Amino acid sequence: MYKKLSIVVPVYNEEKNIDSFLKRTISTLDKINLKYEVIFVLDPSTDKTEEIILEKIQQNKNIRLISLSRRFGQPAATMAGIHNISGDLCVIIDADLQDPPEIIYEMYNKILEGNDVVYAKRVKRKGETFFKKIISKLGYKIIEKISEVKIPRDTGDYRIITKKIIDKLKDLKETNAFLRGLVAFVGFKQTFVEYERDERKDGKSKYNKYFGSLKIAFNGIVGFSSKPLFLMSIMGFIFAIISFLIGVYYIYQKITNPLITPGLSSTILIITFFAGIQLLGLGLLGEYIGRIYDEVKNRPNFIIDKKYNFEERE
Ligand code: UDP
Ligand code: MG
């Protein structure tokens, strides 16, 4: 019942991975009896990624390229791809082969069982620092706890989605798009397949080794929950009570023991402590206001420079 599978691949400086990525992906697609297209979305790269993809386009009419006007980052590049597919199924995958293309086959089978989203869930993380694992585990835990929608743990963007989901995603015009969250938000029938995440085949991760995807995780938290704001009010309330009690204690001391010299240090301590809490609160508020500002400006998430091989698409 599905006719065509579109693969969306955000790329930035991946010259060494394109060739084996395409080989493995296309041999998997050959097992699936569908028309297909592979759409690379290029964040303008400093290496030969673009040239290599253009070469591949000459050899295979199902490969396409969208190049963005500047580096917009992985989430925006992915959205640019999703807005330009013609398939009724879409796979979102990284080019570095950390997401093994072979499991597209299994994911597709789960779609045939009637699911609308099949995401790839990693059971092990090879080649990632201990610290990154902890951070991402913690990140997911926090997101899970406070998010208003349930974002599946241990998943990246690697997933297959049906037209139903694609259409809904296109309607959501959020500026700080957090794809995993948006897909979870949309709902419908969702399931997963498990896989072992490999090491990056070639080149370097585009994110910082330790705090890498922290920005994305933070986006996930603030974008899908207003609980941090609530937390601030609770904290403010608790600290107000504590400071009131401390005040009472000092007055009591003053009355019972008039000779006591009021400690400068405790005063400074209290002032700095509450200044800290207030700044934290302000920072958090600022984060939400910043987002409101982003949304109000309503700028496009991405700007396309050129599209290759889209002309004669069926
Ligand atoms: N990527 C991108 N733009 C960026 C950073 C990354 O299009 O600004 C692509 C990158 O080429 C890869 C995918 O997004 O296909 C995931 O990036 P990476 O492997 O560096 O992330 P990690 O796996 O370390 O989280
Ligand atoms: Mg990677």
Side-chain angles (χ1 to χ4, degrees):
M1 56 176 175
Y2 293 106
K3 293 198 191 75
K4 183 172 179 183
L5 184 62
S6 299
I7 315 262
V8 169
V9 200
V11 282
Y12 175 68
N13 286 357
E14 300 284 2
E15 57 180 6
K16 297 214 180 78
N17 292 320
I18 302 294
D19 185 60
S20 46
F21 170 81
L22 278 173
K23 276 203 187 100
R24 284 174 57 180
T25 304
I26 289 170
S27 73
T28 308
L29 291 173
D30 285 341
K31 288 202 286 176
I32 298 173
N33 211 0
L34 286 180
K35 281 194 269 183
Y36 74 88
E37 62 181 349
V38 178
I39 302 183
F40 289 100
V41 188
L42 179 85
D43 263 344
S45 301
T46 49
D47 66 2
K48 294 218 157 13
T49 308
E50 182 167 15
E51 287 90 323
I52 292 171
I53 295 172
L54 289 175
E55 241 169 64
K56 297 289 176 193
I57 286 180
Q58 300 302 316
Q59 300 156 15
N60 183 336
K61 64 175 181 17
N62 298 317
I63 298 174
R64 310 186 209 298
L65 172 65
I66 296 174
S67 65
L68 300 179
S69 63
R70 65 168 169 85
R71 185 177 174 189
F72 277 90
Q74 180 192 353
T78 307
M79 285 316 269
I82 290 175
H83 278 271
N84 283 282
I85 60 175
S86 64
D88 44 12
L89 284 175
C90 174
V91 169
I92 297 148
I93 185 171
D94 291 352
D96 60 358
L97 294 169
Q98 279 191 295
D99 306 335
E102 289 74 20
I103 64 170
I104 293 176
Y105 186 72
E106 278 172 78
M107 299 204 293
Y108 173 63
N109 282 336
K110 294 240 168 164
I111 287 285
L112 292 183
E113 288 168 15
N115 292 292
D116 288 300
V117 177
V118 183
Y119 49 89
K121 192 176 167 87
R122 34 191 187 240
V123 285
K124 244 191 243 155
R125 296 173 152 230
K126 287 190 212 162
E128 283 186 357
T129 58
F130 178 69
F131 197 64
K132 189 170 178 187
K133 274 186 228 172
I134 295 279
I135 292 260
S136 94
K137 205 168 186 154
L138 207 73
Y140 271 111
K141 228 185 184 125
I142 297 174
I143 295 180
E144 219 165 71
K145 269 258 151 25
I146 70 176
S147 233
E148 273 130 38
V149 295
K150 207 164 163 34
I151 298 168
R153 206 196 273 211
D154 286 332
T155 60
D157 285 339
Y158 190 17
R159 59 193 63 219
I160 179 168
I161 55 183
T162 61
K163 183 139 179 52
K164 232 194 236 172
I165 306 285
I166 298 162
D167 289 343
K168 296 288 171 227
L169 282 182
K170 284 190 197 161
D171 286 344
L172 298 173
K173 295 209 161 50
E174 263 177 70
T175 306
N176 293 292
F178 179 61
L179 193 76
R180 276 158 257 182
L182 294 182
V183 171
F185 171 83
V186 168
F188 297 108
K189 238 180 134 198
Q190 311 211 352
T191 188
F192 60 89
V193 299
E194 289 185 325
Y195 75 110
E196 275 189 29
R197 191 159 212 228
D198 290 328
E199 282 172 42
R200 173 174 252 286
K201 197 79 177 186
D202 223 306
K204 272 208 268 286
S205 171
K206 310 301 177 291
Y207 297 101
N208 178 288
K209 198 159 156 202
Y210 299 110
F211 297 105
S213 340
L214 214 59
K215 197 173 155 203
I216 294 184
F218 195 64
N219 205 355
I221 294 173
V222 180
F224 283 87
S225 168
S226 44
K227 285 210 182 91
L229 284 177
F230 181 64
L231 195 74
M232 277 319 301
S233 340
I234 297 285
M235 267 168 78
F237 186 65
I238 291 174
F239 286 117
I241 291 182
I242 292 176
S243 68
F244 178 73
L245 293 179
I246 294 174
V248 170
Y249 172 74
Y250 276 120
I251 292 171
Y252 172 77
Q253 281 240 310
K254 198 83 190 158
I255 295 168
T256 55
N257 186 0
L259 286 180
I260 197 161
T261 330
L264 183 63
S265 51
S266 64
T267 315
I268 290 177
L269 194 93
I270 288 171
I271 291 174
T272 49
F273 181 67
F274 287 107
I277 297 291
Q278 281 165 4
L279 278 181
L280 190 72
L282 277 179
L284 212 50
L285 269 177
E287 192 58 44
Y288 282 93
I289 293 173
R291 268 144 216 274
I292 296 171
Y293 185 50
D294 277 351
E295 300 296 339
V296 169
K297 277 185 296 189
N298 205 10
R299 291 196 184 138
N301 287 343
F302 51 82
I303 294 171
I304 292 176
D305 177 15
K306 281 185 214 118
K307 287 163 76 168
Y308 299 90
N309 214 13
F310 279 81
E311 308 79 27
E312 296 160 46
R313 159 163 96 165
E314 304 158 35

